[in-house]
Amino acid sequence: MKSIQSNIKKAKKYLDKNDCIAVPTETVYGLAGNAYSNIAVKKIFKLKKRPVNNPLIAHYYDINKLKQDCHINDDFIKLFNKFSPGPITFILKLKKDSKISNFVTNKQKTLAVRFPKHLLFRKLLKNLNYPLAAPSANISTKLSSVQASDVIEEFGSKIKYVLNGGKCQIGVESTIINLTTKPTILRFGGLDISKIEQILKRRIIINTNSKKKIAPGQFPLHYSPGIPLRTNVKDPKNDEAFLLIKKRKITFKNYYYLSKKNDLKQAAKNLYSLLRRIKKDGYKMIAVEKIPNIGIGKTLNDRLNRASKF
Ligand code: TXA
Ligand code: MG
């Protein structure tokens, strides 16, 4: 308990000085900085090697703090009440007098906002008087980090502090929904879109490959393990690592189980760390078994398809 308090204090100290640090969320680790500070946000872009035209998500503790920066609407309230804090990001209209740095939004008039569920992150946000801009804690286009050691692997000594919150529960990024127009899904993620449809009581538009590319998570090359990957494979080649979702009678050295019970949630939780492990184990190619395209399986297939564009 005592160490939790002192770690949060340490994290706050860096953030108050406009430094960026890594924070745990229920989805993936974030690379966080004061969203009201140009200096802090510029550091995030530099560290991540992220193109400046790719806007960031602002993380808030509660709706009161959000209202200072964004206009909210009925659909937002419904979804917020049901799913936040949790793995959903809302695109909302920015208020004219919002204090959000122009570097967060790339000067657009909308803001991506999220209320993370991880208790450590929430404790930290509660102690700050600004929201945190935080993209996933990885070098641009690479695999997201799902534990503290992944963050160190990505950034080495360039990262000043990692608030260690253990392994991320969900393991894939948040679902992004644009609420500035007819509700539209911009990125599949940790929250199953059929649950969103149940709450809004209508079908929602899916636009995860926009030609306008308003969410560069929509870019084809993303979430890349850095070696070729192919999907829907029945029989892997001998020199390929084989990612599976269901236990086989005979297991070979190159078999890596996302889940042994066909459990899609567990598979999502294991996805990024297994891809990292396969690369470390020296494989030059990855084959993936067909993943059922239901629930969070849609998110898994989205990430794997993008990773296969390498
Ligand atoms: O789970 C998550 O969402 C994690 C954790 C750290 O919260 N964050 C994350 O951030 O995945 P990032 O930066 O890797 O992905 C955010 C996505 C990007 O694809 C970005 O283009 C999109 O959100 N985005 C940000 N602002 C936007 C806006 N105003 N309109 C549309 N898309 C936006
Ligand atoms: Mg990312």
Side-chain angles (χ1 to χ4, degrees):
M1 269 304 147
K2 207 165 160 217
S3 73
I4 289 182
Q5 290 307 340
S6 68
N7 288 349
I8 293 213
K9 223 166 141 187
K10 205 163 163 186
K12 175 172 158 48
K13 212 164 139 190
Y14 281 113
L15 292 166
D16 284 347
K17 279 194 308 188
N18 286 328
D19 275 326
C20 42
I21 61 164
V23 292
T25 90
E26 74 281 23
T27 57
V28 297
Y29 273 73
L31 183 62
N34 178 352
Y36 291 159
S37 155
N38 290 339
I39 297 171
V41 177
K42 276 205 245 178
K43 283 185 186 167
I44 296 176
F45 278 92
K46 193 168 169 214
L47 206 57
K48 229 185 114 81
K49 303 194 178 110
R50 179 166 175 124
V52 286
N53 66 356
N54 189 355
L56 306 181
I57 301 176
H59 297 70
Y60 287 85
Y61 178 70
D62 64 18
I63 205 165
N64 288 332
K65 294 194 176 177
L66 170 76
K67 280 182 187 162
Q68 300 169 4
D69 295 319
C70 284
H71 296 284
I72 59 173
N73 57 36
D74 290 349
D75 284 341
F76 169 76
I77 299 283
K78 280 184 208 156
L79 295 173
F80 173 89
N81 284 339
K82 185 74 187 171
F83 301 119
S84 296
I88 179 166
T89 294
F90 310 95
I91 310 296
L92 297 173
K93 286 196 178 125
L94 206 56
K95 282 194 170 162
K96 280 218 171 71
D97 58 352
S98 130
K99 287 195 276 182
I100 291 288
S101 157
N102 270 329
F103 292 94
V104 171
T105 55
N106 187 31
K107 297 191 185 145
Q108 292 185 92
K109 296 191 167 45
T110 60
L111 179 66
V113 307
R114 175 161 124 70
F115 305 84
K117 194 171 186 171
H118 196 294
L119 284 180
L120 260 189
F121 195 4
R122 279 185 63 73
K123 267 190 205 287
L124 174 63
L125 283 170
K126 200 175 176 185
N127 275 282
L128 304 173
N129 49 15
Y130 45 83
L132 288 178
S136 51
N138 54 277
I139 305 292
S140 204
T141 78
K142 297 287 188 268
L143 294 174
S144 300
S145 299
V146 293
Q147 53 198 341
S149 58
D150 297 344
V151 179
I152 304 291
E153 219 171 88
E154 289 289 308
F155 299 107
S157 58
K158 287 195 184 131
I159 184 109
K160 298 230 161 133
Y161 184 63
V162 182
L163 182 62
N164 192 340
K167 191 160 180 190
C168 300
Q169 277 302 315
I170 294 179
V172 289
E173 300 79 358
S174 60
T175 300
I176 303 182
I177 184 162
N178 185 357
L179 297 177
T180 65
T181 57
K182 275 192 189 159
T184 306
I185 298 294
L186 300 182
R187 177 174 76 182
F188 290 111
L191 181 66
D192 180 352
I193 56 172
S194 66
K195 293 195 177 150
I196 298 178
E197 285 177 331
Q198 272 167 27
I199 296 300
L200 295 183
K201 299 199 172 61
R202 63 185 129 135
R203 297 223 62 156
I204 32 184
I205 305 160
I206 296 174
N207 188 9
T208 55
N209 285 305
S210 161
K211 289 240 160 48
K212 272 164 70 193
K213 305 252 167 46
I214 66 172
Q218 300 175 323
F219 287 142
L221 174 63
H222 221 88
Y223 314 106
S224 164
I227 50 178
L229 177 149
R230 57 194 191 103
T231 51
N232 296 329
V233 176
K234 280 197 182 123
D235 297 303
K237 297 175 192 150
N238 284 341
D239 57 349
E240 279 179 323
F242 194 30
L243 262 186
L244 302 127
I245 180 114
K246 214 159 81 189
K247 192 159 169 46
R248 298 294 167 98
K249 280 203 184 98
I250 309 171
T251 289
F252 294 96
K253 194 173 126 264
N254 60 334
Y255 283 20
Y256 292 81
Y257 287 104
L258 288 163
S259 159
K260 288 187 175 162
K261 296 183 197 147
N262 208 6
D263 178 336
L264 289 168
K265 280 197 173 158
Q266 194 183 38
K269 185 172 174 180
N270 289 331
L271 177 69
Y272 291 141
S273 38
L274 277 185
L275 289 173
R276 272 180 199 272
R277 167 118 47 91
I278 286 169
K279 204 176 163 195
K280 272 187 228 156
D281 286 350
Y283 285 93
K284 299 278 183 281
M285 283 182 301
I286 306 174
V288 190
E289 172 173 64
K290 188 175 170 119
I291 311 259
N293 205 36
I294 43 167
I296 204 169
K298 288 188 179 160
T299 307
L300 283 160
N301 282 321
D302 174 83
R303 301 301 189 267
L304 288 165
N305 285 331
R306 289 178 208 274
S308 74
K309 300 289 187 303
F310 177 77

